Amino acid sequence: MSEQTRARGQEREADADAERRVVVVGAGMAGVQTAVALREQGFTGAVTLIGAEPHQPYDRPPLSKAVLLGTAEGSAFDVDFEALGITLRLGCEALGVRPGAHLLDTSAGPVPYDALVLATGAVPIRLPGAEGVPGVHLLRTLDDAERLRPVLARQHDIVVVGAGWIGAEFATAAREAGCAVTVVEAAGRPLAGALPAEVAAPMAAWYADAGAVLRTHARVERVEPGDAGEAGHVVLHDGSRLPAGAVVVGIGARPATAWLAGSGVGLGTHGDVLADDRLRTSAPDVYAVGDCASFPSGRYGERLLVHHWDNALQGPRTVAANIIGAAAGEAPAVYDPVPYFWSEQFGRFVQYAGHHTAADATVWRGDPEGPAWTVCWLREDRLVALLAVGRPRDLAQGRRLIQAGTTMDPRLVADPARPLKAATA
């Protein structure tokens, strides 16, 4: 092909792009990164980013840390949307999709699209019976964090419902603010839905070390209102009454997809948008990314629903490439990441990479009673996941080993003094 012919082909692709309209629903990490990735990868058409909240798009992890404690006023993304030619429509709620007509229905009217990206994230699960009770809080949005900040400043007695990742992070912040904190967990241990019992067990001691009370096998019966717009008591199923100036609920989240009912976009049993390994949905020209979508993993042989920041950062690059490639007739890019997340809690930096449920061996590196240790999960002597507490080098090396599918020597893996990259078979 001559340079002249190639140049004409590129011009035709640019002209085709210029006439295309991409609409991204959801102005969190996944939505913002999709819009930015489209521009970074050379898309020249119209890009519209629609968000239900009125705020400038912002990052969520600081909400449970710096924003909550008042050391930062906000966490807006450092993105010049105007310079990138990205149109923001904020305070605009998505109501439905009409794939046949290529229309997104919103609270401001229908929006036409050539490609649509669903990036609406997840919504927190509410505590049954506690809706509308004064002093009961969630922590998912900037408004949630701003409502909770003065609660911490008044150093209330606080009851946290749920000892998962968000519950532990909020309890950490509340203790730093000087609040008395009791965490109640219906299961018998923290992180019951995320980690095996033997791995989560050492983490129970972290609560007491930080001056928080952890009550397991504790199911909330009801929340009784108090005076002056505050909670009063949390009543447990055994009749215990816990004083609570405020109650913070952290019992999980579900994909924010109720608005897609009847749209023809396929949903899973958890309400997740069923994306394929190219992050395409069952509807033509509709993609899904981030917390709202599940995808099949060739690496792990199962469908994954990943509610973590890194997934919302990585997936948009695949979506952008496939939107641009679809117009150019290019082979679609496959999305099969090594899932990763981190959590800062009780003075510890906890990192996790991979997916451990199909592992056939668990190998410990270091003493779980100590300040730094790692758990490695192997399948047929290949590393499939690891949890690192205070050992970031283990995490960085382990993530690369998972990606590469390297065969490991379990005996060498168990030596915490040996770098993981030197524990190969």
Side-chain angles (χ1 to χ4, degrees):
M1 181 186 296
S2 69
E3 288 299 320
Q4 189 175 18
T5 302
R6 182 180 292 108
R8 282 199 297 269
Q10 289 173 342
E11 287 173 6
R12 283 195 297 271
E13 287 179 17
D15 289 342
D17 262 359
E19 297 173 1
R20 297 180 73 208
R21 301 158 297 180
V22 177
V23 175
V24 183
V25 189
M29 171 61 79
V32 167
Q33 289 300 320
T34 298
V36 170
L38 282 163
R39 292 300 189 221
E40 288 179 343
Q41 295 180 29
F43 182 75
T44 58
V47 178
T48 301
L49 182 62
I50 294 177
E53 294 183 56
H55 309 293
Q56 191 75 3
Y58 61 88
D59 202 7
R60 294 190 189 279
L63 299 184
S64 61
K65 306 171 184 71
V67 175
L68 191 59
L69 290 171
T71 57
E73 286 303 312
S75 58
F77 291 111
D78 185 19
V79 174
D80 189 336
F81 294 100
E82 184 176 0
L84 289 172
I86 297 169
T87 300
L88 290 181
R89 298 185 63 174
L90 304 176
C92 181
E93 185 178 359
L95 303 177
V97 180
R98 286 181 274 166
H102 277 60
L103 286 174
L104 171 73
D105 289 314
T106 77
S107 55
V111 179
Y113 65 84
D114 295 297
L116 176 66
V117 182
L118 308 177
T120 47
V123 291
I125 298 171
R126 297 180 178 274
L127 184 66
E131 294 89 340
V133 176
V136 177
H137 300 264
L138 300 168
L139 181 52
R140 182 74 184 184
T141 68
L142 180 59
D143 289 340
D144 292 337
E146 290 179 346
R147 280 191 290 266
L148 276 165
R149 191 156 60 181
V151 173
L152 296 194
R154 291 195 294 270
Q155 297 186 335
H156 276 304
D157 288 342
I158 292 178
V159 173
V160 180
V161 183
W165 299 113
I166 191 65
E169 290 183 2
F170 179 81
T172 299
R175 286 298 300 140
E176 288 182 25
C179 301
V181 177
T182 300
V183 180
V184 296
E185 169 58 51
R189 62 184 187 278
L191 296 166
L195 296 173
E198 67 272 17
V199 177
M203 300 177 176
W206 298 356
Y207 289 79
D209 291 346
V213 175
L214 172 64
R215 294 188 59 163
T216 57
H217 300 290
R219 201 176 307 278
V220 175
E221 186 74 26
R222 65 184 182 278
V223 179
E224 295 178 342
D227 300 323
E230 298 177 359
H233 289 86
V234 173
V235 181
L236 303 181
H237 72 292
D238 64 0
S240 301
R241 291 166 54 85
L242 306 177
V247 177
V248 177
V249 180
I251 54 176
R254 60 170 60 96
T257 57
W259 64 281
L260 288 168
S263 66
V265 175
L267 302 179
T269 55
H270 301 287
D272 47 310
V273 178
L274 295 173
D276 67 8
D277 61 357
R278 275 76 169 173
L279 298 181
R280 302 171 299 195
T281 75
S282 60
D285 303 315
V286 180
Y287 301 77
V289 66
D291 288 5
C292 72
S294 64
F295 57 90
S297 169
R299 176 178 288 106
Y300 293 107
E302 61 181 281
R303 179 169 285 275
L304 301 182
L305 176 58
V306 181
H307 281 187
H308 293 297
W309 185 89
D310 191 68
N311 179 51
L313 176 67
Q314 304 294 340
R317 297 167 190 165
T318 299
V319 169
N322 286 335
I323 289 174
I324 295 169
E330 297 174 359
V334 172
Y335 188 59
D336 195 8
V338 175
Y340 166 75
F341 72 89
W342 80 96
S343 176
E344 296 177 82
Q345 51 183 266
F346 307 120
R348 294 165 174 85
F349 186 44
V350 183
Q351 294 172 283
Y352 178 97
H355 185 63
H356 67 266
T357 56
D360 55 28
T362 303
V363 181
W364 292 78
R365 289 168 56 82
D367 180 4
E369 302 301 321
W373 47 275
T374 297
V375 178
C376 295
W377 286 275
L378 307 178
R379 180 172 178 80
E380 298 176 351
D381 288 340
R382 297 181 191 276
L383 189 65
V384 294
L386 77 161
L387 176 84
V389 177
R391 292 180 64 99
R393 185 174 298 176
D394 275 4
L395 190 290
Q397 294 179 8
R399 194 176 182 185
R400 289 192 289 269
L401 291 165
I402 296 169
Q403 186 82 45
T406 306
T407 302
M408 310 296 293
D409 183 332
R411 180 181 55 83
L412 299 180
V413 170
D415 179 1
R418 179 185 293 270
L420 261 182
K421 64 182 180 181
T424 56

